[in-house]
Amino acid sequence: MATPSGWRREGNLPAELTSFVGRTRLLANLKRHLAESRLVTVTGIGGVGKSRTVLRLAHQVRTQYPDG
Ligand SMILES: Nc1ncnc2c1ncn2[C@@H]1O[C@H](COP(=O)(O)OP(=O)(O)OP(=O)(O)O)[C@@H](O)[C@H]1O
Ligand SMILES: [Mg+2]
């Protein structure tokens, strides 16, 4: 069966190349917000870890969004 380009069984999220540290409570809060809202905005000073945390979150919830 044809698949969209870039499609993989494990999804199309960028791989996490280093281990992720902490942020347990933040991830739990973000997960809760994401279940309630279509759009969740994460703000913070440069380099504080916004992108990395959201990427971790995306990997954690990926299977709940089968269409990507
Ligand atoms: N919880 C974490 N565990 C391990 N590494 C982390 C963690 N959070 C951030 N980092 C690392 O710190 C660096 C900066 O993180 P990141 O790019 O997510 O910050 P940012 O807030 O998105 O920055 P910017 O404002 O420039 O977009 C990256 O190398 C990232 O991998
Ligand atoms: Mg960023």
Side-chain angles (χ1 to χ4, degrees):
M1 188 169 82
T3 56
S5 71
W7 185 93
R8 298 196 309 269
R9 185 195 294 275
E10 66 274 22
N12 60 359
L13 294 171
E16 298 176 278
L17 300 176
T18 57
S19 55
F20 186 87
V21 180
R23 304 281 199 212
T24 312
R25 199 161 51 178
L26 176 60
L27 281 166
N29 282 332
L30 286 172
K31 229 174 277 181
R32 186 167 49 78
H33 286 304
L34 199 59
E36 294 167 354
S37 308
R38 287 173 62 87
L39 178 67
V40 177
T41 301
V42 176
T43 66
I45 60 170
V48 77
K50 300 175 295 291
S51 298
R52 185 65 196 272
T53 298
V54 169
L55 179 61
R56 181 89 282 270
L57 176 71
H59 277 281
Q60 289 183 349
V61 303
R62 184 178 63 76
T63 56
Q64 296 169 36
Y65 300 86
D67 293 331

